[in-house]
Amino acid sequence: MTLGAASADTGRSDRSGGVRTALAGLTTRGRSFLAAGLAAAVCAYVLGQPDLLRVGMLLAALPLICAAVLFRTRYRVAGSRRLSPGRVPAGSEARVHLRMDNVSRLPTGLLMLQDRVPYVLGPRPRFVLDRVEAGGRREVSYRVRSDLRGRYPLGPLQLRLTDPFGMCELTRSFSSSDTLTVIPRVEALPPVRLAGEAKGYGDGRQRSLALAGEDDVIPRGYRYGDDLRRVHWRSTARYGELMVRREEQPQRSRCTVLLDTRGLAYRGAGPDSAFEWAVGGAASVLVHMLERGFSVRLLTDTGNSVPGEGADGFAGANQESADAAGLMMDTLAVIDHSDGTGLSRAYDVLRGGNEGLLVAFFGDLDEEQAAVAARMRQRSGGAVAFLLDSETWVREPITPSDPMKGQEERLRMLREAGWTALGVPRGTSLEALWRQADRERSGVVTAAGGTAGRGGGGTA
């Protein structure tokens, strides 16, 4: 997809400052020739050597003539940039395609292209284009790669003109620039069975039944995709438009992914830090749930939810999963530490109603915040927590139980409240923890009476 296009006129835009612009474009070679010519002219005048004066005038005139010709040359070129893809996971490469079109009636001389890119994406790409015929085009490409998520500007594209002798060089810039979005790495998760979430589309534990029994004949307007066998002809004749029966309203399974972004809850920085692991874990769970037909949302400790459309901020059934995933990935690409000190705002959002499955990624929790997190379980059908002890992510523990004592206490509090809570050691994959959560949840349900398979189970 073409993300941007611009044109540049290499001719003189006005007369004011034209001489200064031309002289400022002299290269080291051009300045050397000019200085040598002036020195030779001065020496010829002092020594009375007319032949040396002619040589000095030639040396001084050559770079000036080249600068004047180059400055008055008018090329009209158009440039465009295409990213493939425009959204790339961290650690993966994206290719940038550049295209130059000569839209003037004159062929161009030697052109040098340089695209401006942030240093984290690599060195600035430079290309040399030979003579471009009138109406011709040239296409070049380069690769960019970043291990850090974020949004990185590309451009503007710079076009450098030079004369055949290398005496003068002028730079023209295009006006357009584009943005490369580097999203967190997404880890493929296995489909496991986590109790607590409703099965989708009406036959799970929580259903939206008709208002007047199993088959409510209260009609509503026809919507694209409705089964024509549900058309209520009497109401259609009465209202003059196609009406269908209100039967059982299917409800998609819900999943809320809670990401703790408090700055005081994490230590360290970089792609291998605890916070980056939590961001990547949240992205992996969001994509996993969307692929399995869940209605999902991303919630942070600040109380903000994404995508924020539909009922209670979830990605509703009328919203494409790809659009919802793209919006949440773009949010996670630029998410940073918050200034908050607690989880109360997220708790206020969660206590508003039954949220289905809740998957949380917590940083360091003190006793007060662990109690707040424990209460979040009351409004969810099932709850899985991944607790990161950032102390173990920045240094090795002194003894096997030294920094883990506090974390074990927090895990115990969450488990007593009904969470399936797991600690996250450094270097552990989310896939292994995901399977472990399934095993622990199954063991808890079996110990409680073996009710895991009836009514409230779903594949996640």
Side-chain angles (χ1 to χ4, degrees), residues 270-338:
D272 296 329
S273 63
F275 181 68
E276 292 301 322
W277 192 97
V279 173
S284 301
V285 173
L286 288 170
V287 173
H288 177 77
M289 291 301 180
L290 279 173
E291 289 176 349
R292 277 147 184 80
F294 280 68
S295 181
V296 302
R297 69 172 172 181
L298 171 66
L299 180 65
T300 66
D301 58 288
T302 61
N304 297 326
S305 62
V306 181
E309 299 179 0
D312 300 327
F314 286 85
N318 59 344
Q319 185 174 5
E320 295 293 338
S321 296
D323 295 338
L327 181 58
M328 287 183 284
M329 291 300 105
D330 289 344
T331 302
L332 290 175
V334 297
I335 199 167
D336 202 355
H337 294 294
S338 68

Side-chain angles (χ1 to χ4, degrees), residues 76-78 100-104 106-108 132-137:
R76 296 184 64 244
V77 294
M100 300 297 300
D101 294 274
N102 183 11
V103 296
S104 64
L106 298 176
T108 68
V132 182
E133 65 279 5
R137 71 177 59 168

Side-chain angles (χ1 to χ4, degrees), residues 83-102:
L83 303 181
S84 178
R87 184 187 293 117
V88 62
S92 301
E93 289 185 344
R95 182 172 289 275
V96 183
H97 302 268
L98 302 177
R99 171 176 164 178
M100 300 297 300
D101 294 274
N102 183 11

Side-chain angles (χ1 to χ4, degrees), residues 192-265:
V192 299
R193 195 171 185 82
L194 295 174
E197 71 274 19
K199 296 176 69 174
Y201 297 96
D203 52 351
R205 177 173 54 87
Q206 297 172 351
R207 301 191 301 178
S208 178
L209 295 177
L211 297 178
E214 290 296 330
D215 187 7
D216 187 5
V217 296
I218 300 177
R220 61 167 175 83
Y222 174 81
R223 299 172 185 170
Y224 179 78
D226 285 339
D227 191 347
L228 292 178
R229 290 174 296 181
R230 292 172 52 194
V231 173
H232 195 260
W233 296 109
R234 183 179 301 176
S235 299
T236 298
R238 178 180 178 182
Y239 293 103
E241 59 177 335
L242 201 59
M243 306 292 289
V244 296
R245 295 189 302 272
R246 288 181 185 266
E247 296 178 350
E248 178 185 349
Q249 301 298 310
Q251 178 174 335
R252 302 180 73 187
S253 301
R254 287 184 171 186
C255 176
T256 297
V257 178
L258 173 60
L259 177 61
D260 182 8
T261 64
R262 296 172 299 142
L264 55 82

Side-chain angles (χ1 to χ4, degrees), residues 10-312:
T10 64
R12 180 176 56 187
S13 58
D14 51 52
R15 296 181 180 275
S16 61
V19 176
R20 290 194 300 270
T21 303
L23 294 179
L26 290 176
T27 62
T28 302
R29 180 184 300 177
R31 295 176 186 273
S32 300
F33 268 70
L34 181 60
L38 294 177
V42 172
C43 293
Y45 176 78
V46 173
L47 301 177
Q49 298 290 332
D51 293 337
L52 183 59
L53 178 61
R54 286 191 290 269
V55 173
M57 293 180 61
L58 177 61
L59 293 176
L62 181 59
L64 297 179
I65 293 175
C66 291
V69 172
L70 186 64
F71 185 76
R72 294 180 63 86
T73 300
R74 303 185 67 89
Y75 297 140
R76 296 184 64 244
V77 294
S80 62
R81 181 186 296 102
R82 179 170 59 89
L83 303 181
S84 178
R87 184 187 293 117
V88 62
S92 301
E93 289 185 344
R95 182 172 289 275
V96 183
H97 302 268
L98 302 177
R99 171 176 164 178
M100 300 297 300
D101 294 274
N102 183 11
V103 296
S104 64
R105 298 181 179 179
L106 298 176
T108 68
L110 189 67
L111 302 179
M112 290 186 292
L113 296 180
Q114 175 178 282
D115 207 6
R116 299 184 61 182
V117 300
Y119 71 94
V120 296
L121 297 182
R124 288 188 176 183
R126 294 179 174 88
F127 304 95
V128 178
L129 301 182
D130 293 332
R131 177 179 178 272
V132 182
E133 65 279 5
R137 71 177 59 168
R138 297 290 186 271
E139 294 184 3
V140 293
S141 64
Y142 64 93
R143 294 181 178 181
V144 291
R145 179 180 182 274
S146 175
D147 292 327
L148 299 175
R149 57 185 177 82
R151 294 173 62 87
Y152 300 100
L154 300 178
L157 183 65
Q158 292 181 335
L159 179 65
R160 292 186 178 182
L161 308 176
T162 184
D163 64 278
F165 300 101
M167 298 290 180
C168 185
E169 182 179 276
L170 297 180
T171 301
R172 296 289 184 267
S173 295
F174 292 86
S175 59
S176 66
S177 60
D178 303 305
T179 301
L180 174 67
T181 303
V182 180
I183 62 176
R185 295 185 182 93
V186 175
E187 187 175 351
L189 300 180
V192 299
R193 195 171 185 82
L194 295 174
E197 71 274 19
K199 296 176 69 174
Y201 297 96
D203 52 351
R205 177 173 54 87
Q206 297 172 351
R207 301 191 301 178
S208 178
L209 295 177
L211 297 178
E214 290 296 330
D215 187 7
D216 187 5
V217 296
I218 300 177
R220 61 167 175 83
Y222 174 81
R223 299 172 185 170
Y224 179 78
D226 285 339
D227 191 347
L228 292 178
R229 290 174 296 181
R230 292 172 52 194
V231 173
H232 195 260
W233 296 109
R234 183 179 301 176
S235 299
T236 298
R238 178 180 178 182
Y239 293 103
E241 59 177 335
L242 201 59
M243 306 292 289
V244 296
R245 295 189 302 272
R246 288 181 185 266
E247 296 178 350
E248 178 185 349
Q249 301 298 310
Q251 178 174 335
R252 302 180 73 187
S253 301
R254 287 184 171 186
C255 176
T256 297
V257 178
L258 173 60
L259 177 61
D260 182 8
T261 64
R262 296 172 299 142
L264 55 82
Y266 298 93
R267 299 184 184 181
D272 296 329
S273 63
F275 181 68
E276 292 301 322
W277 192 97
V279 173
S284 301
V285 173
L286 288 170
V287 173
H288 177 77
M289 291 301 180
L290 279 173
E291 289 176 349
R292 277 147 184 80
F294 280 68
S295 181
V296 302
R297 69 172 172 181
L298 171 66
L299 180 65
T300 66
D301 58 288
T302 61
N304 297 326
S305 62
V306 181
E309 299 179 0
D312 300 327

